[in-house]
Amino acid sequence: MALVSEFLGQLTLSYGTEVEPKFPTVVPARDFDPAKDAARIETAVKTKGVDEQTVIDILTRRSYEQRREIAFEYERLAKKDLISALKGALSGSLEALMLGLMKSTAQYDASELKASMKGLGTDEETLIEVVFSRNNEELTEIKKVYKDLFKKDLEKDVAGDTSGDFAKLLLALVQTKRDDPSNVIDYEKIDEDARSLYEAGVMRKGTDVATWITIMSKRSVPHLQKVFERYKSYSPYDMKESIRKEVKGDLEKSFLTLVECLENRQLYFANRLFEAMKSKGAKEKVVTRVLVSRCEVDLMKIRSEFKRQHKKSLYQTIAEHTKGDYQKALLSLCGGDD
């Protein structure tokens, strides 16, 4: 009996919090031998002209935990750390991608956020992508790791680096006050929120941004999906069109990204990849970031959204728009053609 109640307890726990199922393309390798992998990498980086293929084969087909074990074995064997060896052996986009894989997903996100706020000027695009596309659970972990890595609070850095309503919206999300999904659908609250969004924007002169921020940063994801549906019965425009009419600049980009991620996060990433590879020279930074940060989370689902939306597989698109060893590494992370 105790077992049954324990099992039910686990069910309720996992239902109440925001733990999403994972759809990774990179999973732990079977018959894993870290010492053998470390030795193969050591030979590959010592080879005249560097054997990039071996490095790619190993690091893109092991989970983060396994890569950590390889790094440990590598240090024992080569008497130097794997990160330094990779920096010495690789360059450009391939180096950035491989070094990204040596971090956990949260460490990688935290360092991308740090880099976007370093020095003069802010890389708003990265800041918007990372903050607005991560769920509560991911943001909580990123904040913890950020503090460990940089001895600073992410909230303080965001506040110091941004201003106005853009800063308020970023901070509202970084504070992770979003409700957990509930098994009760509150139709009255859905209606009230939809009407408030309409009255705060399209219906009046000027925009009451504070109301938008409160609703979009605090309500649960399933609740907001219903709110955006309901919103159409009040407004002549859907939520995204309303945002385009009401606000401009970074704030517009932020709200649009947020709504897209609330509606379908994997489709947001699929579109981000499509846009990044549309032009002649692929925006390699964006492509690298999405593949590295999502390969152990939901890249499989991003792949199927990509195919559904753009009538072409992510694999083929990467093959067309990138080249060389960098391309090989991306295709390996992508995990196959659809």
Side-chain angles (χ1 to χ4, degrees), residues 60-283:
T60 59
R61 302 313 312 152
R62 307 288 183 269
S63 67
Y64 165 66
E65 293 303 335
Q66 291 178 330
R67 286 179 223 123
R68 269 183 55 183
E69 287 184 55
I70 295 169
F72 178 76
E73 290 294 340
Y74 187 88
E75 202 162 325
R76 251 183 31 173
L77 168 81
K79 305 288 175 271
K80 65 172 175 200
D81 76 292
L82 181 54
I83 306 281
S84 311
L86 292 172
K87 281 181 179 167
L90 310 171
S91 62
S93 299
L94 180 66
E95 180 192 352
L97 190 139
M98 290 302 161
L99 293 177
L101 289 174
M102 297 311 297
K103 299 180 169 114
S104 72
T105 303
Q107 284 167 353
Y108 181 73
D109 284 348
S111 44
E112 285 292 291
L113 286 173
K114 184 69 179 169
S116 75
M117 296 183 281
K118 223 161 73 181
L120 284 171
T122 310
D123 168 8
E124 286 87 2
E125 201 187 340
T126 301
L127 202 51
I128 289 169
E129 181 198 303
V130 178
V131 172
F132 295 115
S133 67
R134 302 315 190 242
N135 62 25
N136 253 7
E137 194 197 352
E138 288 166 334
L139 282 169
T140 305
E141 183 63 18
I142 290 166
K143 285 198 288 188
K144 196 168 124 311
V145 170
Y146 194 93
K147 180 91 173 171
D148 292 345
L149 288 177
F150 310 114
K151 310 290 171 257
K152 279 184 157 173
D153 285 322
L154 177 59
E155 286 173 49
K156 281 196 179 133
D157 278 357
V158 168
D161 223 76
T162 56
S163 60
D165 288 327
F166 176 49
K168 285 179 193 153
L169 178 55
L170 278 165
L171 287 168
L173 282 151
V174 170
Q175 283 157 1
T176 55
K177 299 263 170 69
R178 191 177 294 295
D179 300 333
D180 283 328
S182 151
N183 9 9
V184 183
I185 299 172
D186 186 341
Y187 290 103
E188 240 172 83
K189 188 89 185 122
I190 289 165
D191 188 66
E192 190 188 311
D193 282 345
R195 198 175 63 240
S196 298
L197 287 174
Y198 174 58
E199 286 171 357
V202 176
M203 192 180 142
R204 53 173 282 170
K205 200 169 164 52
T207 316
D208 169 8
V209 176
T211 297
W212 276 16
I213 292 176
T214 302
I215 293 172
M216 290 196 225
S217 68
K218 292 194 172 164
R219 308 291 189 261
S220 77
V221 177
H223 174 86
L224 282 168
Q225 288 170 343
K226 294 183 177 70
V227 169
F228 298 148
E229 262 313 301
R230 182 77 186 131
Y231 179 84
K232 293 176 200 163
S233 62
Y234 285 107
S235 169
Y237 320 106
D238 68 18
M239 198 64 230
K240 289 202 309 203
E241 287 171 289
S242 302
I243 290 165
R244 289 190 191 99
K245 288 187 182 307
E246 291 293 314
V247 289
K248 289 287 166 269
D250 291 329
L251 195 58
E252 177 190 5
K253 265 193 224 133
S254 304
F255 274 124
L256 285 173
T257 300
L258 186 53
V259 170
E260 281 167 19
C261 291
L262 290 165
E263 288 180 336
N264 182 339
R265 197 154 75 130
Q266 286 77 28
L267 177 60
Y268 163 76
F269 286 122
N271 290 335
R272 191 106 176 92
L273 286 168
F274 182 76
E275 286 302 316
M277 289 187 281
K278 224 167 59 174
S279 50
K280 189 92 181 83
K283 274 187 170 171

